Amino acid sequence: MALKKPFSSENSRQSDIVPLKDGITALLRAYRLQGKLNEVTVVASWERIMGKAVAMKTQQVYVSNNKLFVRLSSAPLKHELIMAKTRVLENINAEVGENVIKEVVFL
């Protein structure tokens, strides 16, 4: 009695293989979550982007309608960051890799 070869689905699986990164990207696009994920990434990366000294003076960071709102406890720091608003905006968008934030508002 000869043993039958089990059905080999390797060939059919090869065509179904998708890299994990592409699969996650497609999933985020399908459920329209990429924008929200980018916003969360911006908020979570605030300390890394701006440094420990600025993060210690930051009371609140949130995103609404592609605007980043930052509440600071130091008026001189607020003034300094307002003067460097363009550079802050560039650094934030560079961290995410997309133009997620259109404007930064210091409160």
Side-chain angles (χ1 to χ4, degrees), residues 5-6 29 34 52 70 88 92 96 100:
K5 254 182 147 176
R29 192 178 320 116
Q34 187 64 51
K52 189 107 176 141
V70 182
V88 170
I92 290 168
V96 180
V100 177

Side-chain angles (χ1 to χ4, degrees), residues 21-35 37:
K21 180 180 179 182
D22 295 343
I24 291 173
T25 302
L27 182 72
L28 291 172
R29 192 178 320 116
Y31 288 101
R32 293 186 227 150
L33 296 172
Q34 187 64 51
L37 179 64

Side-chain angles (χ1 to χ4, degrees), residues 8-18:
S8 176
S9 62
E10 275 187 41
N11 291 337
S12 65
R13 284 186 188 172
Q14 291 295 326
S15 63
D16 294 340
I17 293 176
V18 176

Side-chain angles (χ1 to χ4, degrees), residues 33-75:
L33 296 172
Q34 187 64 51
K36 196 65 172 167
L37 179 64
N38 288 342
E39 290 177 2
V40 170
T41 302
V42 166
V43 172
S45 303
W46 177 253
E47 182 177 344
R48 187 170 358 107
I49 296 167
M50 298 305 296
K52 189 107 176 141
V54 173
M56 288 178 63
K57 302 278 185 188
T58 302
Q59 294 176 331
Q60 187 179 20
V61 179
Y62 62 95
V63 178
S64 179
N65 297 327
N66 294 337
K67 291 182 182 178
L68 179 68
F69 293 89
V70 182
R71 185 173 307 280
L72 300 165
S73 62
S74 169

Side-chain angles (χ1 to χ4, degrees), residues 69-102:
F69 293 89
V70 182
R71 185 173 307 280
L72 300 165
S73 62
S74 169
L77 177 62
K78 177 182 171 184
H79 180 71
E80 188 175 327
L81 290 176
I82 288 172
M83 300 303 283
K85 190 183 281 194
T86 306
R87 193 174 74 222
V88 170
L89 184 63
E90 289 171 357
N91 289 346
I92 290 168
N93 286 327
E95 176 73 23
V96 180
E98 291 184 40
N99 284 340
V100 177
I101 304 299
K102 305 290 184 220

